[in-house]
Amino acid sequence: MQYENDIKAVDALHQAYNTIKAEIGKIVIGQEDVVKSVLISIFSNGHCLLVGVPGLAKTLLVQTVANVMDLNFNRIQFTPDLMPSDIIGAEILGEDRNFKFIHGPIFSNIVLADEINRTPPKTQAALLEAMQEKAVTAAGLRHMLPNPFFVLATQNPIEQEGTYPLPEAQLDRFMFNIYLSYPSFADELEIVKNTTSNRDVELKKVIDAKQIQYFQKLVRNIPVADNVVEYAVKLASKTRPNTPLATEEINKYISWGAGPRASQFLVIGAKCHAAISGKYSPDIEDVQAVAEAILRHRIVRNYRAEAEGLTVEQLIRNLF
């Protein structure tokens, strides 16, 4: 898949995004911002963490995205007894008395890690290592994961008993932390009508794995002005307490701020947000559009902020 120039390629990405969004909208009602963030993550070659109560169509969304993009999809239900080998696979002794590696469910283009906070840290680490390296190691041998490879992990915020929350260092592997809210009354009405009848929807496959890889490279090649890069780096730097760029509010309410990976994701996310919006170069508004989902899981509030009811989102918006 080649275009004569990058301008035509960006136009093609913009058109593909709108078509994909329309196809997903046939199945997933509402949640436009969530769909947008998930697609930005895929085209930016990042991973997503979804936080929301049960029944908000998280699994349905991922299945639909995989279907429309013609990608392989696996769902892993994380439980307290899940072992790393249950995810990455294991060596077994074959009939010919030679060991062979059996691929685990992580060998897929899109992996839904359902309720990742319900499994012990050892198993979480196996998934997070695969996310970072795009490969797994078994019996001393390295096995590459499919390309593209995208992990969407979910957390249930209302069940804390028997959970193992991801530490901040591991949360940093996710490009986006997306909060799902309840649907509006009108959306829920349409959801109930569509899911309680024999409505059969046929989805069109819009793009495939090779086209996704092309668009991922295109996003990296999109030019960005120096002032936009400086704004992104300053925005991330301002979240770090007791540093030269930190605001008085940050020094007062934040224990730990975002690292350099946040600055990288802010620029890449802004490039992708601009492209799917039909623009050929990102501006400051594109950085701000992706900043909340990129920064919220990289900032740790102190006890004073929690006592005064200040949310991370409020503190991020104040930095704009």
Side-chain angles (χ1 to χ4, degrees), residues 12-257:
L13 174 55
H14 173 56
Q15 184 177 353
Y17 165 75
N18 286 329
T19 307
I20 291 167
K21 189 174 66 171
E23 288 297 308
I24 293 172
K26 294 178 181 178
I27 301 292
V28 181
I29 309 300
Q31 307 289 11
E32 286 87 359
D33 290 340
V34 175
V35 171
K36 186 177 187 178
S37 294
V38 169
L39 294 179
I40 288 175
S41 286
I42 292 176
F43 289 128
S44 300
N45 201 12
H47 306 286
C48 270
L49 180 67
L50 286 185
V51 180
V53 298
L56 295 182
K58 296 187 287 290
T59 303
L60 179 64
L61 168 62
V62 186
Q63 287 176 326
T64 307
V65 168
N67 195 355
V68 171
M69 291 186 159
D70 197 18
L71 297 173
N72 296 324
F73 164 73
N74 274 331
R75 175 180 177 270
I76 307 172
Q77 179 62 54
F78 279 65
T79 57
D81 60 348
L82 195 72
M83 299 296 290
S85 58
D86 296 328
I87 297 174
I88 66 174
E91 291 255 324
I92 67 166
L93 188 63
E95 294 179 358
D96 57 357
R97 296 198 172 275
N98 290 321
F99 283 98
K100 61 180 180 179
F101 180 70
I102 302 298
H103 288 181
I106 201 168
F107 284 84
S108 187
N109 295 124
I110 294 184
V111 175
L112 174 62
D114 218 356
E115 295 188 299
I116 189 174
N117 57 330
R118 297 197 68 82
T119 204
K122 186 177 182 179
T123 306
Q124 291 176 355
L127 172 70
L128 293 164
E129 181 184 1
M131 288 166 52
Q132 184 69 20
E133 304 297 330
K134 303 293 177 73
V136 299
T137 303
L141 295 177
R142 188 176 175 85
H143 304 271
M144 299 304 298
L145 294 170
N147 192 10
F149 175 68
F150 173 67
V151 172
L152 193 148
T154 69
Q155 282 193 171
N156 185 347
I158 60 174
E159 286 185 17
Q160 298 304 322
E161 191 173 339
T163 61
Y164 305 84
L166 286 169
E168 281 70 26
Q170 293 182 343
L171 283 172
D172 196 48
R173 305 280 178 90
F174 291 95
M175 179 177 184
F176 281 148
N177 182 0
I178 306 167
Y179 283 4
L180 280 82
S181 57
Y182 290 109
S184 67
F185 181 81
D187 285 342
E188 189 166 353
L189 200 62
E190 190 173 351
I191 290 169
V192 172
K193 286 180 180 178
N194 291 343
T195 56
T196 55
S197 64
N198 287 323
R199 177 174 172 262
D200 189 20
V201 178
E202 186 174 340
L203 292 176
K204 180 175 69 175
K205 297 187 188 301
V206 180
I207 58 177
D208 58 22
K210 185 174 283 189
Q211 290 171 304
I212 293 170
Q213 292 175 57
Y214 178 86
F215 286 139
Q216 287 174 339
K217 291 178 182 176
L218 171 69
V219 167
R220 295 270 175 169
N221 291 332
I222 290 175
V224 55
D226 287 344
N227 70 304
V228 176
V229 176
E230 288 175 10
Y231 179 82
V233 175
K234 282 183 179 178
L235 186 59
S237 299
K238 285 179 181 179
T239 67
R240 302 163 191 166
N242 304 315
T243 58
L245 292 177
T247 64
E248 184 179 340
E249 186 178 49
I250 292 297
N251 288 331
K252 185 178 179 181
Y253 294 116
I254 296 298
S255 297
W256 198 258

Side-chain angles (χ1 to χ4, degrees), residues 296-307:
R296 65 157 56 104
H297 56 300
R298 296 180 163 89
I299 297 175
V300 181
R301 295 176 300 160
N302 60 23
Y303 292 112
R304 177 180 290 182
E306 293 180 13

